[in-house]
Amino acid sequence: MSSTIRSDDDPVTATRRRFLTAGTAALGGAVVGAGAAAAETDNLPPNVPEWMKAPGEPTGGQLYGTPSPFEKGVVRNISTTLKQYISASSRSPLQDLDGIITPNGLFYERHHGGVPAIDPAQHRLMLHGLVERPLIFTIEDLRRFPSESRIHFLECSGNPGYSKPYGKTASDLVGLVSCAEWTGVSLKLVLQEAGLKPGAKWVVAEGADAAALTRSIPIEKCLEDAILVYSQNGERLRPQQGYPLRLFLPGFEGNMSVKWLRRLHVTAEPVYSREETSKYTDLLPDGTAREFSFYMEAKSIITRPSGGQRLSAPGFHEITGIAWSGHGKIARVEVSVDDGRSWQDARLQEPVLTRAFTRFRLPWQWDGKPAMIQSRAIDETGYVQPTLAELLAVRGENYFYHNNAIWPWRIDDNGEVTNALA
Ligand SMILES: Nc1nc2c(c(=O)[nH]1)N[C@H]1C(S)=C(S)[C@@H](COP(=O)(O)O)O[C@H]1N2
Ligand SMILES: [Mo]
C-alpha cells in the first residue's frame, strides 16, 4: 500500500498519473502536509491512534452542533480598524470554504444600525400604497403561502469597496459576498394577494432596525424573482441575516435585500431614500451619477491557492475558486497562470445556477518558480470580468462601489501567495 493518491479513472495498480510526488508520505517516510511537531505523535501509522481506543463523546452533548475545535480559525473576518458598532460588517472566510454554499455561521454581515432583537410574534409586515387591499401579515400568515427554495449569492456593493486593492486574503478583498439556499414566499404572490393598482411601479421596502434601511425596488423585479425569505440553508434566518423576515432580490446589490422587513409601500415613483442617493449611487468622472446601479456584475476569485496560503511543494495543485453574476448564469471562467499572457477554460462544477456561486477548477503543475495566477468570469450575457485598470478607466475613482475587477495572486518561489495588486 502506498498513500499516493491516484485519479479515479486509473486502475489502482497503475501508476500512470500521480498527483502527489514530492513531499508525500511513503510508508515509513514523512507525513503529507504535516509539520515536524505533528510527526512527534504516537497517533500516526502504523500505530492505533488514541481516539480509537475508547468510545467517543455520546450524542446530546451539543444540542446545536458546532465545528471541530481544530477548525476554530475558520471564522468571519472582522476589520480591526473599522469601529464595529452601529455600522458594521464582517466578511466570509472564502479561502477556507469549499463548494458553493456558505454556512450560516460564516455568512457575511453588513448592518447600518446594529442587529435588532425581534420577537417574531410581535413582528408584522405591512403592505400598503397602490394596492386594492392594504394588508398586515404575521410571520405565520406568510408561512401559509406556497413556499419556494432557491440558491443565490448575496453581495454588498461595497465589495471590496476601494479602488486601491488592499488586504491579504480572498476574504479581505471580496469577503462581502456569500451564497445560500433561501426559502420563503414569492413576493409576486403576496402582491397579488393585495392586488396592484394601475400605476404601481415601485415597491419601497423598509427594515425594522434602528437604521430603518429603505430602498425603492422596480415593480418588474418584484414580479420576476423577489422572495420574502424566512429561512436560510434550511433553518430560520439568523438575527444577523434579518430574522424573522427579509426581502431577497437575486443578483441585485446587497443593500436592497432589506433585512428585518416591516413594510412594503407600493408607489408610482422611487422615494430617493438615503441608501439610494447619498449612498450606493456611483458618481462618474464626468460628474453625472450612475443611478440606479441595481445589478452586481460578473466576478470571480481564486480561493485556493490565495493570499495568506502557501504551496507546500512544486508539482500538482488544483486551482479553484468561485464565480457569480447578477445577470444570470456563469458561462465560462478562464484562468491564467502566466500573468495574463494566456488563458485556459476552467471546469465548472455542477450545478451552474442562475445568480449563484459557481465553483471552478483547473489542474495545475507548479514548477516552483514565481507565478501570477488570476481568474476572469464570463456570464451568459457575454460580459467579461474586467481588470482593475479597465474598470477605473471607465468608472473613475469618485466612488468605491461595484468593484468587480480581476484579483491576481502572486506566488513566490517559496510558495507564498500574496495580493499581486497591493
Ligand atoms: N434593514 C436593513 N437591511 C439591510 C441592511 C441594514 O443595515 N438594515 N444592510 C444591507 C446591506 S448594505 C447588505 S450588503 C445586506 C447584507 O446582508 P447580510 O448581513 O445578511 O449579509 O443587507 C442589506 N439589508
Ligand atoms: Mo452592503
Side-chain angles (χ1 to χ4, degrees):
M1 193 196 92
S2 148
S3 56
T4 298
I5 299 169
R6 297 191 181 95
S7 69
D8 298 339
D9 45 22
D10 288 343
V12 277
T13 49
T15 50
R16 253 192 310 142
R17 246 176 108 193
R18 305 173 107 200
F19 290 109
L20 311 183
T21 44
T24 305
L27 270 182
V31 173
V32 187
E40 303 297 323
T41 160
D42 288 338
N43 289 322
L44 299 179
N47 298 337
V48 173
E50 61 185 312
W51 42 84
M52 287 183 75
K53 294 178 182 164
E57 289 292 309
T59 28
Q62 268 192 347
L63 291 180
Y64 194 98
T66 52
S68 159
F70 295 99
E71 299 298 321
K72 65 176 187 294
V74 181
V75 287
R76 284 191 279 227
N77 168 3
I78 300 180
S79 164
T80 47
T81 49
L82 267 179
K83 252 212 191 127
Q84 293 293 319
Y85 176 48
I86 281 179
S87 181
S89 62
S90 73
R91 291 153 191 273
S92 225
L94 301 175
Q95 65 282 354
D96 298 319
L97 301 178
D98 295 315
I100 60 168
I101 298 292
T102 313
N104 290 342
L106 299 175
F107 202 92
Y108 88 93
E109 298 166 81
R110 172 80 183 100
H111 22 82
H112 300 243
V115 178
I118 299 180
D119 173 356
Q122 297 178 51
H123 186 75
R124 297 290 182 273
L125 172 66
M126 180 160 79
L127 170 54
H128 67 131
L130 294 173
V131 291
E132 302 294 346
R133 291 169 296 282
L135 294 167
I136 291 182
F137 302 96
T138 64
I139 298 298
E140 279 315 305
D141 292 336
L142 292 171
R143 286 185 61 82
R144 285 184 54 204
F145 280 88
S147 60
E148 58 180 80
S149 297
R150 294 210 307 269
I151 295 173
H152 291 299
F153 77 84
L154 182 70
E155 182 179 22
C156 181
S157 43
N159 188 34
Y162 297 91
S163 52
K164 300 272 179 298
Y166 74 110
K168 234 176 94 163
T169 65
S171 176
D172 294 340
L173 286 165
V174 292
L176 292 176
V177 65
S178 296
C179 185
E181 184 197 56
W182 307 96
T183 301
V185 44
S186 140
L187 176 54
K188 183 180 180 176
L189 288 186
V190 174
L191 291 175
Q192 279 171 349
E193 192 79 5
L196 290 176
K197 281 191 171 164
K201 287 277 178 275
W202 295 79
V203 175
V204 181
E206 181 191 67
D209 52 338
L213 186 128
T214 301
R215 286 263 352 214
S216 315
I217 297 129
I219 196 75
E220 295 77 17
K221 182 66 175 176
C222 298
L223 299 176
E224 183 198 349
D225 62 354
I227 327 173
L228 299 179
V229 161
Y230 40 76
S231 288
Q232 179 182 345
N233 291 332
E235 62 181 3
R236 293 293 190 275
L237 285 169
R238 298 280 170 96
Q240 295 76 11
Q241 266 66 54
Y243 182 86
L245 187 70
R246 91 177 294 165
L247 179 61
F248 192 87
L249 303 176
F252 274 27
E253 54 184 4
N255 67 76
M256 301 182 74
S257 284
V258 175
K259 301 192 276 190
W260 313 294
L261 184 68
R262 72 182 292 265
R263 189 151 75 101
L264 293 170
H265 187 196
V266 183
T267 61
E269 300 285 346
V271 290
Y272 298 104
S273 70
R274 175 181 180 272
E275 255 61 45
E276 57 201 31
T277 50
S278 82
K279 300 278 169 203
Y280 306 117
T281 289
D282 305 345
L283 186 60
L284 297 175
D286 67 1
T288 61
R290 200 161 74 100
E291 186 191 65
F292 298 101
S293 45
F294 297 140
Y295 286 94
M296 299 306 289
E297 289 173 313
K299 192 161 172 177
S300 69
I301 183 97
I302 294 173
T303 54
R304 206 166 49 126
S306 67
Q309 298 172 347
R310 201 172 159 274
L311 299 183
S312 54
F316 178 79
H317 290 275
E318 181 178 74
I319 293 178
T320 180
I322 42 174
W324 63 98
S325 167
H327 287 287
K329 288 183 180 161
I330 288 297
R332 267 165 54 218
V333 178
E334 297 177 333
V335 171
S336 170
V337 295
D338 59 4
D339 198 7
R341 279 185 291 277
S342 66
W343 296 83
Q344 325 171 42
D345 274 344
R347 196 160 48 82
L348 303 187
Q349 169 72 59
E350 293 290 336
V352 176
L353 301 168
T354 194
R355 297 167 178 164
F357 278 179
T358 295
R359 171 70 51 182
F360 64 87
R361 301 195 168 95
L362 185 83
W364 180 48
Q365 293 289 336
W366 180 48
D367 59 10
K369 298 197 184 104
M372 192 89 90
I373 62 170
Q374 56 198 309
S375 64
R376 70 177 175 214
I378 297 142
D379 70 18
E380 62 178 329
T381 71
Y383 175 92
V384 183
Q385 183 183 1
T387 63
L388 186 61
E390 286 166 347
L391 192 71
L392 293 178
V394 176
R395 301 256 175 91
E397 291 186 65
N398 287 341
Y399 72 98
F400 58 75
Y401 302 115
H402 303 284
N403 182 346
N404 65 325
I406 292 170
W407 297 103
W409 299 115
R410 181 188 307 112
I411 298 173
D412 272 332
D413 48 13
N414 65 3
E416 235 170 88
V417 190
T418 52
N419 177 354
L421 295 183

